[in-house]
Amino acid sequence: MRRLALRVRERTLELEAANRELEAFAYSVAHDLRGPLSVIVGYAETLIEDHSAQWPDQPRQLAGAILASGEHMQRLIDGLLRLSQFGRQPLSKGPVDTRALVGEVVDELRRQHAGREVFVHVGEIPGCVGDQALLRQVLVNLLSNAFKFTRTREKPLVTVIGWTEGRETVYCVRDNGAGFDMQQADKLFAAFQRFHDSDEYEGTGIGLSIASRIVQRHGGRIWASAEVGKGAAFYFSIPD
């Protein structure tokens, strides 16, 4: 047993080192791509602004497509950098008033979606011990998705609750929005995975990956349940 425990510890350290190297590589590549991509986007913007009025329709459309694709790639690179950052950032743990964090995030989202009426029910939400700034980011990502994917609902509803279960605190963000097919759930927290048409719902598919990375760094779990057209519920746990 002692030899097995030592082998497991050695393997764990190897995997942690490999993950750090992979994160450093992703950060380096994404950071180095930003410069030349900014030049491409900048030149495309200049060409369109200064010369597109004299162009026929096809060149104007092609230039617009180049600019749109470049801007989309910029958002993907920014997402990759954020994902790498949250994996490298040291945890600063302390008591977290999770209910207060939910209130702050909901207020912020209401300001961003001032033209919409979204009913948000906040139930009992126990506190926990964790990194307040990072856990706030988890709530931002989950609640932002809830607001986004209820956009087509006549009466959008978002519910946030929490409870203690054994030696962990579980939180749930539920909505009555677009939902998704649970057969794809194994890909849900992978980077850049999208289950909906980008023309209908904006985003890069990085938010859930960041939420998952933060929860895992706290030693917790994250999972979801959903049905197409009937909404989704996202759960995450933070251990005592």
Side-chain angles (χ1 to χ4, degrees):
M1 289 295 294
R2 187 175 180 182
R3 184 178 298 174
L4 178 60
L6 182 60
R7 180 76 178 274
V8 169
R9 176 172 172 75
E10 289 175 350
R11 183 60 176 162
T12 300
L13 291 174
E14 289 174 1
L15 289 173
E16 289 176 348
N19 281 334
R20 286 194 297 271
E21 290 177 4
L22 183 60
E23 288 171 356
F25 175 75
Y27 181 87
S28 176
V29 169
H31 186 270
D32 291 345
L33 286 173
R34 291 181 82 177
L37 185 58
S38 295
V39 173
I40 293 172
V41 170
Y43 283 164
E45 287 178 339
T46 300
L47 284 172
I48 291 172
E49 290 173 2
D50 294 349
H51 304 287
S52 64
Q54 290 81 40
W55 291 346
D57 288 343
Q58 186 177 18
R60 188 184 306 114
Q61 292 169 0
L62 290 174
I66 292 171
L67 178 59
S69 295
E71 290 174 339
H72 180 62
M73 186 174 288
Q74 282 182 324
R75 291 191 292 272
L76 292 177
I77 289 173
D78 288 343
L80 186 58
L81 287 170
R82 289 198 304 274
L83 182 61
S84 175
Q85 174 190 359
F86 285 120
R88 294 147 60 97
Q89 182 176 334
L91 295 180
S92 179
K93 287 188 174 183
V96 178
D97 185 343
T98 316
R99 198 177 200 287
L101 280 186
V102 169
E104 291 176 11
V105 174
V106 168
D107 288 344
E108 182 178 303
L109 288 170
R110 287 196 187 283
R111 288 192 293 271
Q112 294 175 11
H113 298 263
R116 295 179 57 202
E117 288 189 16
V118 180
F119 181 74
V120 181
H121 171 69
V122 180
E124 293 295 325
I125 302 181
C128 66
V129 174
D131 187 306
Q132 179 165 305
L134 293 183
L135 291 179
R136 188 183 193 281
Q137 187 63 51
V138 173
L139 292 168
V140 166
N141 292 0
L142 297 183
L143 283 163
S144 294
N145 278 353
F147 270 64
K148 176 168 64 177
F149 290 113
T150 56
R151 181 184 299 158
T152 61
R153 291 294 178 263
E154 186 176 330
K155 296 182 179 179
L157 170 64
V158 177
T159 302
V160 189
I161 56 174
W163 63 90
T164 301
E165 190 173 290
R167 298 191 62 182
E168 61 182 6
T169 304
V170 180
Y171 301 98
C172 174
V173 177
R174 182 184 296 116
D175 66 69
N176 65 341
F180 58 86
D181 186 350
M182 282 297 291
Q183 292 185 353
Q184 298 178 296
D186 59 327
K187 304 175 184 176
L188 190 60
F189 299 102
F192 307 119
Q193 291 292 325
R194 294 181 54 88
F195 293 171
H196 302 88
D197 193 334
S198 59
D199 293 336
E200 186 176 7
Y201 297 105
E202 72 283 355
T204 59
I206 200 71
L208 290 179
S209 301
I210 290 174
S212 176
R213 179 69 61 89
I214 293 171
V215 171
Q216 289 173 3
R217 292 201 60 211
H218 280 78
R221 304 173 293 131
I222 186 167
W223 67 100
S225 63
E227 189 174 347
V228 176
K230 295 186 178 180
F234 285 84
Y235 306 84
F236 69 95
S237 67
I238 302 297
D240 293 343

